[in-house]
């Protein structure tokens, strides 16, 4: 199975992945990927970035089984850029489109990461118990969700101040930004994941894990492409003019 994944909930990123849904032991292959470090130039870099993933002509549509887009949570402008791109490609290429919460991408990365001893040897999974994924929501807030040690979503997503995050191990850029607040409330921050952002590669691995477990795209429990903004837009439709008299 060949999938294109796009995530712009934080940085702009896209990836092309290949895997066999019937083979639970085979590693997911990342065929190509790109990601920026800039969180404010999604619209400018996304289209050429996606095009760079393919070696074959894409005018009439590449050989893909699905497009999977990160649905956030994330800021309006960046998130819209990725979802609009995914919907456009799905329609133009006539390829099924699915959504997946972007925080799941970081949860998958934590699940895949080993816990190491002082000698640098892997001694088990990094997350031994429930953990939190937190990303930057700006306005001195974080987007966060709670996961089991197996990276299964238990609660969320939410948006709010860092002091409202449960006292568990916290991973992601939100943890790095508000480390003092989190630790003061009893949460733990893992330094190597304190600036991690969701990317399309990890989103693809999370999607592949669901597809392999289900044995098919249709049974994987993936979402539609509805964005998870979690906040109302700052832009408001003007109301009627007030009478002067």
């Amino acid at each position: 199975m060949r999938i294109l994944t796009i995530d712009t909930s934080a940085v702009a990123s896209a990836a092309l992945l290949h895997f066999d849904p019937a083979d639970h032991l085979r590693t997911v292959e990342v065929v190509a990927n790109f990601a920026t470090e800039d969180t404010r130039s999604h619209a400018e870099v996304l289209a050429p970035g996606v095009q760079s993933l393919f070696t074959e002509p894409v005018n009439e549509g590449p050989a893909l089984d699905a497009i999977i887009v990160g649905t956030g949570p994330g800021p309006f402008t960046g998130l819209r850029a990725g979802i609009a791109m995914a919907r456009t490609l799905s329609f133009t290429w006539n390829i099924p489109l699915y959504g997946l919460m972007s925080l799941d991408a970081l949860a998958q990365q934590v699940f895949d990461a080993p816990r190491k001893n002082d000698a640098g040897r892997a001694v088990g999974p990094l997350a031994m118990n429930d953990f939190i994924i937190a990303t930057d929501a700006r306005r001195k807030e974080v987007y966060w969700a709670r996961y089991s040690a197996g990276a299964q979503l238990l609660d969320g997503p939410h948006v709010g101040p860092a002091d409202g995050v449960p006292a568990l191990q916290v991973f992601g850029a939100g943890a790095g930004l508000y480390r003092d607040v989190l630790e003061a409330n009893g949460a733990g921050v893992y330094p190597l994941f304190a600036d991690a952002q969701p990317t399309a590669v990890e989103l693809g691995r999370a999607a592949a894990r669901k597809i392999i477990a289900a044995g098919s795209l249709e049974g994987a429990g993936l979402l539609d492409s509805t964005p998870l903004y979690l906040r109302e837009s700052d832009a408001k439709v003007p109301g009627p003019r007030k009478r002067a008299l």
Side-chain angles (χ1 to χ4, degrees):
M1 180 172 289
R2 197 177 189 222
I3 61 173
L4 169 67
T5 58
I6 296 172
D7 192 286
T8 55
S9 61
V11 301
S13 62
L16 195 61
L17 300 97
H18 182 269
F19 60 96
D20 182 354
D23 188 349
H24 289 243
L25 300 178
R26 183 178 176 183
T27 302
V28 176
E29 177 189 359
V30 179
V31 179
N33 77 96
F34 96 97
T36 68
E37 294 184 1
D38 187 357
T39 60
R40 298 180 184 273
S41 62
H42 301 70
E44 294 87 345
V45 302
L46 189 56
V50 169
Q51 186 174 16
S52 72
L53 303 180
F54 299 94
T55 56
E56 73 268 32
V58 297
N59 293 341
E60 297 182 4
L64 289 173
D65 294 287
I67 297 171
I68 297 173
V69 65
T71 57
F76 279 81
T77 303
L79 197 55
R80 275 201 304 266
I83 292 176
M85 169 68 74
R87 288 175 174 175
T88 300
L89 295 179
S90 172
F91 177 79
T92 303
W93 293 342
N94 192 28
I95 294 170
L97 174 64
Y98 299 88
L100 186 63
M101 188 170 72
S102 301
L103 299 182
D104 287 356
L106 275 178
Q108 180 65 40
Q109 191 174 352
V110 171
F111 177 78
D112 289 338
R115 180 167 50 91
K116 297 182 179 180
N117 60 19
D118 294 339
R121 294 181 178 178
V123 294
L126 181 59
M128 302 292 291
N129 300 292
D130 291 2
F131 62 91
I132 301 293
I133 295 297
T135 58
D136 182 18
R138 302 172 185 171
R139 305 182 188 176
K140 298 183 179 180
E141 292 183 333
V142 294
Y143 299 117
W144 67 271
R146 180 172 180 163
Y147 292 85
S148 70
Q152 298 296 320
L153 179 66
L154 300 176
D155 182 36
H158 305 282
V159 61
D163 59 10
V165 173
L168 298 169
Q169 195 80 4
V170 186
F171 302 89
L177 285 170
Y178 301 104
R179 178 171 184 167
D180 292 345
V181 175
L182 292 166
E183 291 183 338
N185 287 338
V189 175
Y190 188 67
L192 295 181
F193 275 83
D195 60 353
Q197 303 273 26
T199 66
V201 168
E202 301 305 333
L203 188 83
R205 289 196 173 111
R209 182 175 175 223
K210 290 178 179 289
I211 295 166
I212 291 171
S216 68
L217 267 166
E218 293 73 18
L222 298 172
L223 308 172
D224 61 25
S225 60
T226 302
L228 296 168
Y229 292 130
L230 301 192
R231 291 190 184 120
E232 293 189 10
S233 173
D234 290 333
K236 304 294 182 183
V237 176
R241 292 187 178 181
K242 294 182 179 179
R243 295 176 63 89
L245 299 177

